[in-house]
Amino acid sequence: MLLLAATFLVAFVLLLYMVSPLISPKPLKLAGAHVVVTGGSSGIGKCVAIECFKQGAFITLVARDEGKLVQAKKEIEKYSVNDKQVVLCISVDISKDYRQVENVIKQAQEKLGPVDMLVNCAGMAIAGNFEEIEIDKFARLMEINYLGSVYPSRAVIPTMKERRMGRIVFVSSQAGQLGLFGYTAYSPTKFALRGLAEALQMEVKPYNIYVTVAYPPDTDTPGFAEENKTKPLETKLISESSSLCQADQVARVIVKDAIQGNFNSSVGSDGYMLSSLTCGMSPVTTITEGLQQVVTMGLFRIIALFYLGSFDSIVRRCMMQKRDSQKSCKTD
């Protein structure tokens, strides 16, 4: 009986593997495609642009700093695969005025054609104790990290619907999958992107438009270096429980998942575990993906409990060290 059940299970899994490609999205070909990357002047955004350019795409870089945009353009152009490729740079703050963002997208489409893929990379992080973060920073982070993705996405959707094709990528963070010490201002803005992505995917899937949410881990970028300047000790110690990734490695994974139309994009074993643990009601691209989540959920939850216990232990140790330090200062 046990052998029969095992045989049935194996046959069922094999059947799912055969059927899955039939219901999966058709991969997007980047050769000749128009890819818009916000926050494309540095970090993950620039590496995403390079990866797409290597595959023959036309690139529009959108960022605030015009000097960095020009420098990024020169770097990206080194990876051209044909002499027809173009890198267009547009300087604008995408978090302030929707009409301005809409005009920027129209300008890009007039020069390079309809947008085939939008990658929302623009963002920033602020780490600190909840009561010590300046109150206006909460609103500013929401503007940059959330509305800075809403506005460009809203601007490209009508044309994508007309053409019945497209990809939209939201670059969230592992801090958008679980709340961590020091990220009370940052994490909610990244959690918000998932809610937006899930609702939007349900709306646009009938138009053959696929949404991807990327959850990169700590990545070696200029933004990460800036974030570390104010990061509490507890947050640093928790972050050290996983390794620091390189931006080009993260970019390759994001581009690959976006091309395939995968909803979740994660890096490494920790990223895979987090995505499975937090999948909830998020859509799946293949039946096998859903089956893997069902099978691994229990085990991953056990592992996660050990991680959470470790994080709580770090916070308690830091609190005791601060208390002992204060006592020492009073004694002196």
Side-chain angles (χ1 to χ4, degrees):
M1 189 67 181
L2 187 62
L3 180 61
L4 182 63
T7 304
F8 176 78
L9 180 61
V10 171
F12 180 64
V13 171
L14 289 174
L15 177 63
L16 289 179
Y17 271 106
M18 289 188 290
V19 172
S20 288
L22 302 177
I23 63 172
S24 301
K26 185 179 179 181
L28 176 70
K29 295 181 180 179
L30 287 183
H34 181 191
V35 179
V36 174
V37 184
T38 69
S41 62
S42 64
I44 294 174
K46 184 176 72 174
C47 289
V48 165
I50 289 173
E51 187 64 27
C52 292
F53 205 63
K54 285 179 178 178
Q55 298 186 42
F58 290 70
I59 305 294
T60 296
L61 297 178
V62 181
R64 288 177 293 179
D65 192 316
E66 193 167 350
K68 289 183 179 179
L69 278 171
V70 172
Q71 187 61 39
K73 172 183 167 73
K74 291 178 180 178
E75 187 175 341
I76 293 167
E77 286 176 336
K78 296 176 182 177
Y79 297 92
S80 64
V81 294
N82 62 67
D83 56 6
K84 295 181 180 179
Q85 285 178 275
V86 176
V87 179
L88 175 66
C89 295
I90 303 178
S91 176
V92 66
D93 185 344
I94 58 170
S95 67
K96 289 294 187 182
D97 181 2
Y98 170 68
R99 294 304 168 193
Q100 192 175 19
V101 175
E102 188 178 37
N103 289 334
V104 160
I105 295 298
K106 285 181 179 179
Q107 178 185 339
Q109 293 192 129
E110 286 171 1
K111 293 185 177 181
L112 299 182
V115 176
D116 295 289
M117 183 162 79
L118 167 68
V119 185
N120 293 289
C121 276
M124 67 175 291
I126 294 175
N129 291 74
F130 179 61
E131 71 278 12
E132 295 174 2
I133 299 174
E134 295 176 16
I135 197 66
D136 62 318
K137 299 296 184 185
F138 288 87
R140 185 61 185 139
L141 277 183
M142 190 60 77
E143 287 176 349
I144 296 172
N145 294 346
Y146 180 67
L147 293 179
S149 292
V150 170
Y151 293 165
S153 301
R154 174 66 178 78
V156 302
I157 281 292
T159 304
M160 285 186 175
K161 280 188 172 182
E162 287 176 6
R163 300 174 67 221
R164 290 188 172 272
M165 63 168 291
R167 297 286 192 273
I168 295 178
V169 181
F170 297 105
V171 179
S172 180
S173 163
Q174 287 188 351
Q177 294 175 295
L178 76 163
L180 293 174
F181 189 106
Y183 286 138
T184 52
Y186 177 66
S187 278
T189 66
K190 293 299 187 176
F191 268 89
L193 288 177
R194 171 174 167 171
L196 168 64
E198 288 188 4
L200 182 60
Q201 179 63 98
M202 194 173 290
E203 287 189 21
V204 301
K205 190 175 181 179
Y207 296 90
N208 195 35
I209 301 169
Y210 288 89
V211 176
T212 298
V213 188
Y215 300 103
D218 285 343
T219 306
D220 189 9
T221 64
F224 181 73
E226 188 66 27
E227 173 194 339
N228 273 338
K229 293 178 181 179
T230 61
K231 188 178 287 184
L233 176 60
E234 293 90 339
T235 314
K236 287 182 179 179
L237 293 174
I238 290 172
S239 296
E240 288 171 2
S241 62
S242 60
S243 58
L244 187 67
C245 286
Q246 297 304 307
D248 58 345
Q249 173 193 1
V250 173
R252 283 194 295 271
V253 173
I254 291 174
V255 172
K256 178 183 176 182
D257 285 327
I259 288 173
Q260 296 297 328
N262 296 334
F263 184 77
N264 288 304
S265 178
S266 58
V267 180
S269 56
D270 286 350
Y272 175 74
M273 183 181 75
L274 267 177
S275 291
S276 294
L277 270 174
T278 60
C279 62
M281 290 288 288
S282 63
V284 293
T285 310
T286 65
I287 297 174
T288 51
E289 180 186 359
L291 181 64
Q292 287 168 357
Q293 290 168 353
V294 171
V295 171
T296 60
M297 183 72 74
L299 174 62
F300 285 166
R301 179 56 177 166
I302 293 172
I303 297 172
L305 291 175
F306 281 101
Y307 271 102
L308 290 172
S310 173
F311 297 161
D312 286 339
S313 178
I314 289 171
V315 173
R316 285 194 300 270
R317 287 202 310 270
C318 288
M319 185 178 70
M320 291 172 64
Q321 288 174 5
K322 290 176 184 176
R323 186 178 59 194
D324 292 343
S325 178
Q326 289 170 354
K327 286 181 179 179
S328 178
C329 289
K330 288 179 181 179
T331 302
D332 294 340

